[in-house]
Amino acid sequence: MSKYLIKFNKLSYAKYISHLDMNRMFRRIIRASGIKLSYSQGYNPHPKMNFAQPLPLAYEGYNEMLMIECDEFYETDFIEKALSERMPLGFEILSCVEMDQDIKSLAAIANYSNYTLFIPGEYTVEDVAGYLNQAEIKALKRMKKTKEYAWVDIKDKILAFELLEGKDEIQRSPFSLKADSRAESILSPELVIQSFLNYLNKEIPREEIDVERNEVALLKSVDKF
Amino acid sequence: MYKLDSILKRVEKPARYIGNEINAVHKDNHVGCNFAFAFPDTYEIGMSYTGLQILYNILNKEDDIWCQRVFAPARDMEEIMRNENIPLFALESKMNVKDMDIIGFTLQYEMSYTNILNMLDLAGIPLLREERDDSFPLVIAGGPCAFNPEPLADFIDVFLIGDGEELLPELCELYVEYKGKGKDAFLGAVSRLQGVYVPKLYEISYDENGFITSEFKPVLRAIVDDLDKVDFPTKPLVPLSDVVHDRAIVESFRGCTRGCRFCQAGMIYRPIRERSKDNIINIAKSEIENTGHDELSLLSLSTSDYSDFKGLALGLLDYCSANNVALSLPSLRLDSFSFEVLNEIQKYKKSGLTFAVEAGSQRLRDVINKGITEDDIYEAVSKAIDLGWRNVKLYFMIGLPGETYEDLDGIANIAKHILDIKREKNGGKLGKFNVTVSVSNFVPKAFTPFQWLGQNTAKEFEEKHNYLASQLYVKGITFNYHDNKTSELEALLARGDRRVGKILLNAYKLGAKMDSWSEHFDPELWHKAAQLAGLSIDFYTSRERDVNEALPWDIIDCGVSKAYLLSEYEKSKKALTTHDCRLSCTGCGMNRYTECKWGGCNE
């Protein structure tokens, strides 16, 4: 059995492909490449592949991570090339490395994620400092179980939040966000956007804001050697 | 991109507007011919249509043509596009359709016609061809509904009738050659190609009773003589989001030799043309390799009529089981070999078994020339139950010529008898078993032996549905039927003349669109539209036509002779059947235009 870590970018219009659809797409491309995935046991066997963290619809992703398991061994160069040739526009395969056999899934060892937010308007360093210095940072979150909205404090989950210099092509202000991504305490950038704009008493239509995920950092190295 | 970007964040299923599926073709748009392949329904429906894949592949093989796709935007998307002045764009490049050279609509069903007008409007292109000068793209249309092009004749510049594989690239080539010489010069030149109908070149006149008086030399449809000589896509587009059919497909043959008298496809795709077995298997293999699909299906009008079906099925079965591909073989005739194959491919997961019985009595099945007997069905059902099938689906049509309430009783009796067979095998109990009876309303179609018939009125259909519902209110039977009002308008658009274009335009202006979606369909708009146009819908639908009457579609020659259709019509009145023409030629007239290689092949 071999395990591989594949890193890729998901950019431009590809960001409108949902996580589920992308999952199917990778499955097909891997199949078309002649790479045979291992299957789980049981009544409804499914191919063994998993992602570090689902990327929300309409987020661009850099250095996204996919882990696959195969019964046979393949050269990493072969996997990288075979997938690269077949990816639709907007996807780029960056690398493929063999993984440590002991790693079960990427999501279980996710640590934090770095995001870049692009928000229309003018902001100051003080805006950000004031926001972060609140005793509590309250955001309205839809709870998984009850499906109802509840106020939660996200202060501890914001590991860093900074205003960056300059503007993007359409004059939006860039921010960097380092957010907790551990399975038990994961923070969605949506809550930061919402609470930050709330703090500043600003209303900006959501579709005018863009988010990129730059990387998901893991708790430990996954390399085979 | 930013404008579109902000829109896509606000709509449902944005993936259907992005155009970067696996195997999508991207080129530089500085080509001689930017072609928009327009499907007048949503992405999910259009992407399941194999004709799109065939023509997309053939056009994009040409360096000087870029074929891109356009679908009808969903309601939410349309609303934003209208409010924010975003014109209709092609998926691949996002360029405005209005800036392209040719927009080609595929006509798969009549109820999509209002979407054509809506898409032209969204593109900023005047609906009426007379109102479009040379600065607008050429608007063309093809597909099965183009066999009666007249209701769309006011909107479309050029109709392509028949097989498109050779004709469409030829038209594009001619378009490039005539660039700068004016639309009229091009129309004159293109009208000389076989299969091309240019409505502008035909003036239609009517007598005081509304009957057509003009006479023309009809346009002969385009015919591909040999399917092995035209390309079938081995690198089809693979949709990224959910669509209706998402699997590898190979067309095994075109045409049908059965000669069912209600069936338009069985007439307009003649003669039967098979793709060779090796070619089919090779296409299937490369398709699977190029797409990563794990399901393969064959496309034809009657899968098991393929001359070497056994060889083909075994060959595909071998390949599929070795490669973990699920094989699906639709519309099988259930003989013992088919059962063997079906049992093999549905080993663990038995989907339903479907029978197109069409009519409830042998007499009526003889009238429509549907060669299936009740014994055939019961024998197959019995075998299927033994092999573990639990769902049987029966298709019927109502409103067929000479139909009585006894024929409707026949429908109910067949369904009930199947339940009895199951009970008998199961110690008197039904167990987990279901028969679905699906009833559609007969729409007499152009170029069939029934083209002269009148359709049942919506009221007659309703009475028959109610009667059937009372007969089929039985445990173990599910009864479905088709909407009456939709069937009436299908008949109007399928059998209308050029004046029906006015009804269509009025209906669109009154707000009709997405009429094939029951939640959007409003029949009242259409009745109002007909009133405003001063036309009677009944004139086109429920009225029986005289065999000497000039028909709106006489302008087209589908290859099958009118004399043959007429003789089949006369035979139907006496409930006389006509045999499958693989046994021997039945004289439909196709061999006047092309070799009929499989006619009489089972003699």
Side-chain angles (χ1 to χ4, degrees):
Chain A
M1 189 182 62
S2 325
K3 293 183 179 179
Y4 302 94
L5 178 73
I6 295 155
K7 285 198 178 178
F8 64 96
N9 290 344
K10 186 189 186 211
L11 306 175
S12 182
Y13 288 111
K15 69 185 177 187
Y16 293 109
I17 298 164
S18 72
H19 184 68
L20 228 59
D21 289 341
M22 182 178 73
N23 204 316
R24 178 176 48 200
M25 179 199 85
F26 265 106
R27 216 166 60 223
R28 282 187 174 152
I29 288 176
I30 289 168
R31 223 183 122 84
S33 306
I35 299 164
K36 289 184 179 139
L37 294 174
S38 306
Y39 274 75
S40 64
Q41 304 293 310
Y43 277 114
N44 195 9
H46 55 271
K48 291 191 175 174
M49 54 184 271
N50 69 85
F51 294 86
Q53 206 117 92
L55 187 66
L57 197 67
Y59 281 33
E60 285 188 308
Y62 293 88
N63 303 299
E64 291 290 303
M65 284 186 273
L66 161 70
M67 166 182 167
I68 62 171
E69 258 181 78
C70 308
D71 293 335
E72 292 166 43
F73 171 80
Y74 301 96
E75 293 289 347
T76 52
D77 283 353
F78 163 73
I79 298 179
E80 193 181 321
K81 194 163 165 274
L83 299 190
S84 284
E85 279 169 3
R86 291 173 174 81
M87 295 308 278
L89 218 62
F91 286 92
E92 292 164 43
I93 299 291
L94 302 171
S95 64
C96 172
V97 294
E98 254 195 279
M99 278 177 68
D100 185 341
Q101 294 285 339
D102 296 336
I103 307 281
K104 295 268 184 289
S105 88
L106 293 172
I109 55 166
N111 187 6
Y112 62 85
S113 302
N114 289 321
Y115 298 93
T116 312
L117 280 40
F118 299 92
I119 307 178
E122 300 293 332
Y123 303 87
T124 62
V125 178
E126 289 73 33
D127 290 339
V128 175
Y131 166 71
L132 290 175
N133 284 337
Q134 299 172 91
E136 283 185 319
I137 301 179
K138 291 272 195 180
L140 204 53
K141 184 185 175 187
R142 190 159 186 232
M143 307 312 276
K144 251 191 185 158
K145 277 188 189 148
T146 60
K147 306 269 180 217
E148 274 168 25
Y149 286 91
W151 288 100
V152 291
D153 181 8
I154 60 170
K155 187 168 177 172
D156 292 345
K157 298 177 183 180
I158 302 174
L159 307 178
F161 183 50
E162 279 172 46
L163 175 65
L164 300 177
E165 277 185 29
K167 292 273 164 62
D168 76 351
E169 301 96 309
I170 46 168
Q171 298 307 306
R172 295 178 299 190
S173 303
F175 295 81
S176 73
L177 168 70
K178 181 175 170 184
D180 196 336
S181 285
R182 287 171 298 166
E184 67 280 9
S185 54
I186 184 166
L187 170 65
S188 158
E190 294 301 313
L191 299 185
V192 177
I193 294 171
Q194 177 215 112
S195 56
F196 180 57
L197 294 177
N198 250 348
Y199 167 76
L200 296 174
N201 279 322
K202 269 187 179 238
E203 266 186 51
I204 295 173
R206 179 61 188 85
E207 65 268 16
E208 291 178 18
I209 299 169
D210 267 309
V211 186
E212 288 170 10
R213 181 155 75 196
N214 306 104
E215 70 161 329
V216 180
L218 302 176
L219 287 162
K220 57 180 179 187
S221 160
V222 296
D223 290 359
K224 186 173 185 188
F225 305 106
Chain B
M1 160 154 186
Y2 294 109
K3 199 166 180 187
L4 188 55
D5 208 24
S6 86
I7 291 171
L8 291 178
K9 286 189 196 124
R10 284 178 278 159
V11 297
E12 272 181 60
K13 303 186 195 160
R16 51 188 171 184
Y17 307 108
I18 63 180
N20 62 347
E21 298 88 339
I22 298 169
N23 298 330
V25 177
H26 289 267
K27 296 185 183 183
D28 183 329
N29 66 12
H30 293 96
V31 289
C33 179
N34 272 299
F35 188 97
F37 188 104
F39 193 100
D41 210 317
T42 60
Y43 179 87
E44 288 72 15
I45 312 276
M47 280 299 287
S48 308
Y49 167 56
T50 307
L52 183 162
Q53 302 271 16
I54 293 176
L55 296 173
Y56 187 81
N57 173 57
I58 282 190
L59 290 178
N60 280 322
K61 280 219 152 111
E62 307 291 327
D63 289 336
D64 210 23
I65 303 172
W66 186 10
C67 173
Q68 305 183 55
R69 289 160 298 148
V70 191
F71 299 96
R75 284 251 163 153
D76 62 340
M77 182 68 167
E78 182 186 338
E79 200 182 310
I80 297 179
M81 287 170 75
R82 289 198 181 277
N83 289 341
E84 300 179 22
N85 295 315
I86 312 271
L88 191 70
F89 56 89
L91 294 194
E92 280 81 354
S93 68
K94 316 287 182 291
M95 72 191 284
N96 293 343
V97 167
K98 193 176 155 185
D99 299 329
M100 298 178 77
D101 295 295
I102 302 177
I103 169 164
F105 286 97
T106 175
L107 310 177
Q108 298 298 312
Y109 41 91
E110 294 81 10
M111 299 313 284
S112 68
Y113 286 3
T114 46
N115 290 350
I116 295 175
L117 303 189
N118 196 38
M119 286 169 79
L120 287 174
D121 187 54
L122 274 169
I125 297 172
L127 305 184
L128 293 165
R129 61 175 158 74
E130 279 186 357
E131 291 172 7
R132 297 194 291 262
D133 61 27
D134 288 9
S135 69
F136 290 101
L138 183 75
V139 180
I140 68 173
C145 295
F147 278 82
N148 178 25
E150 288 305 85
L152 288 171
D154 290 344
F155 313 101
I156 304 290
D157 296 312
V158 177
F159 287 95
L160 302 188
I161 318 294
D163 301 316
E165 284 107 325
E166 291 164 346
L167 181 55
L168 190 54
E170 215 175 322
L171 175 138
C172 293
E173 215 171 281
L174 205 60
Y175 175 88
V176 174
E177 200 184 309
Y178 273 80
K179 249 188 182 176
K181 295 181 187 162
K183 198 182 258 180
D184 283 337
F186 168 75
L187 292 178
V190 80
S191 70
R192 287 190 279 275
L193 299 179
Q194 182 181 337
V196 170
Y197 169 54
V198 178
K200 186 180 183 175
L201 306 179
Y202 297 76
E203 198 75 50
I204 312 290
S205 49
Y206 307 88
D207 68 14
E208 67 280 10
N209 295 317
F211 294 107
I212 295 168
T213 53
S214 27
E215 278 179 53
F216 308 100
K217 183 177 177 292
V219 170
L220 178 62
R221 88 169 221 249
I223 304 164
V224 166
D225 298 309
D226 183 349
L227 281 197
D228 283 321
K229 296 224 170 85
V230 293
D231 259 323
F232 192 86
T234 52
K235 283 184 90 173
L237 292 150
V238 184
L240 296 173
S241 53
D242 279 327
V243 300
V244 179
H245 292 300
D246 193 358
R247 56 192 181 192
I249 285 176
V250 191
E251 184 192 27
S252 49
F253 63 90
R254 204 169 288 179
C256 179
T257 51
R258 299 270 166 186
C260 300
R261 291 177 181 133
F262 55 84
C263 179
Q264 191 190 40
M267 298 293 158
I268 64 172
Y269 294 117
R270 287 184 179 218
I272 193 134
R273 287 152 290 165
E274 294 190 354
R275 198 164 255 124
S276 74
K277 185 180 80 182
D278 291 346
N279 196 8
I280 294 171
I281 294 177
N282 286 334
I283 291 170
K285 284 180 186 170
S286 353
E287 241 189 281
I288 296 285
E289 280 161 21
N290 289 327
T291 58
H293 274 302
D294 53 12
E295 195 185 334
L296 171 70
S297 180
L298 289 182
L299 177 72
S300 71
L301 290 168
S302 173
T303 312
S304 42
D305 280 352
Y306 188 77
S307 54
D308 182 16
F309 176 61
K310 210 161 183 171
L312 178 64
L314 294 176
L316 289 173
L317 212 53
D318 265 359
Y319 171 74
C320 287
S321 49
N323 291 278
N324 283 318
V325 173
L327 178 63
S328 91
L329 298 172
S331 59
L332 286 185
R333 210 153 273 274
L334 292 170
D335 54 20
S336 57
F337 174 69
S338 297
F339 262 110
E340 247 170 74
V341 175
L342 266 186
N343 202 33
E344 183 64 30
I345 61 185
Q346 302 193 358
K347 233 178 255 170
Y348 307 109
K349 227 170 126 185
K350 294 214 163 31
S351 63
L353 274 194
T354 304
F355 298 87
V357 192
E358 309 298 3
S361 71
Q362 194 57 49
R363 181 195 58 82
L364 196 52
R365 285 193 294 275
D366 288 345
V367 168
I368 63 176
N369 204 41
K370 178 81 196 181
I372 185 171
T373 67
E374 277 165 47
D375 287 344
D376 292 340
I377 300 162
Y378 299 145
E379 202 180 308
V381 165
S382 170
K383 208 178 236 163
I385 292 172
D386 291 342
L387 290 167
W389 265 276
R390 287 190 182 139
N391 286 298
V392 174
K393 202 168 184 183
L394 306 171
Y395 283 123
F396 292 97
M397 256 185 296
I398 58 165
L400 291 166
E403 180 183 63
T404 63
Y405 275 70
E406 273 112 68
D407 296 309
L408 301 185
D409 289 336
I411 294 178
N413 290 338
I414 292 172
K416 289 175 192 163
H417 188 77
I418 291 175
L419 294 183
D420 288 341
I421 295 177
K422 168 71 183 177
R423 276 196 202 95
E424 204 175 299
K425 288 176 180 288
N426 200 31
K429 277 192 225 119
L430 192 57
K432 224 179 150 192
F433 187 79
N434 190 268
V435 177
T436 303
V437 176
S438 233
V439 166
S440 63
N441 304 324
F442 171 58
V443 180
K445 292 267 171 125
F447 297 111
T448 66
F450 289 164
Q451 63 181 355
W452 294 279
L453 285 171
Q455 190 193 28
N456 276 184
T457 61
K459 194 163 168 281
E460 285 169 304
F461 279 131
E462 194 186 332
E463 284 163 5
K464 290 179 180 177
H465 288 151
N466 290 341
Y467 181 74
L468 275 172
S470 69
Q471 296 295 306
L472 290 168
Y473 189 69
V474 173
K475 185 177 174 275
I477 296 179
T478 312
F479 173 49
N480 299 324
Y481 58 89
H482 199 242
D483 178 61
N484 304 328
K485 300 265 167 58
T486 307
S487 305
E488 180 182 46
L489 295 172
E490 274 166 17
L492 170 71
L493 295 170
R495 298 147 58 78
D497 55 31
R498 205 173 272 202
R499 293 169 298 186
V500 169
K502 294 194 177 58
I503 303 181
L504 176 61
L505 185 61
N506 288 342
Y508 172 68
K509 285 183 173 162
L510 290 168
K513 57 191 161 190
M514 293 278 180
D515 297 292
S516 54
W517 298 76
S518 56
E519 66 266 42
H520 299 310
F521 176 57
D522 181 358
E524 283 319 305
L525 294 179
W526 286 87
H527 287 272
K528 208 166 155 196
Q531 237 168 33
L532 286 173
L535 293 166
S536 144
I537 290 182
D538 291 337
F539 179 80
Y540 298 100
T541 57
S542 55
R543 179 178 64 89
E544 184 174 326
R545 301 183 194 199
D546 188 274
V547 293
N548 295 314
E549 184 182 328
L551 299 168
W553 51 92
D554 281 346
I555 226 159
I556 306 295
D557 180 355
C558 83
V560 172
S561 71
K562 200 168 186 175
Y564 178 75
L565 297 178
L566 196 56
S567 91
E568 283 295 298
Y569 183 36
E570 293 304 330
K571 279 173 94 175
S572 80
K573 291 179 184 167
K574 299 176 202 137
L576 293 174
T577 59
T578 297
H579 62 261
D580 185 327
C581 67
R582 279 182 196 261
L583 293 170
S584 69
C585 179
T586 55
C588 74
M590 263 328 292
N591 57 8
R592 293 173 296 167
Y593 304 117
T594 182
E595 189 197 357
C596 185
K597 223 167 134 188
W598 282 268
C601 71
N602 294 347
E603 213 168 328

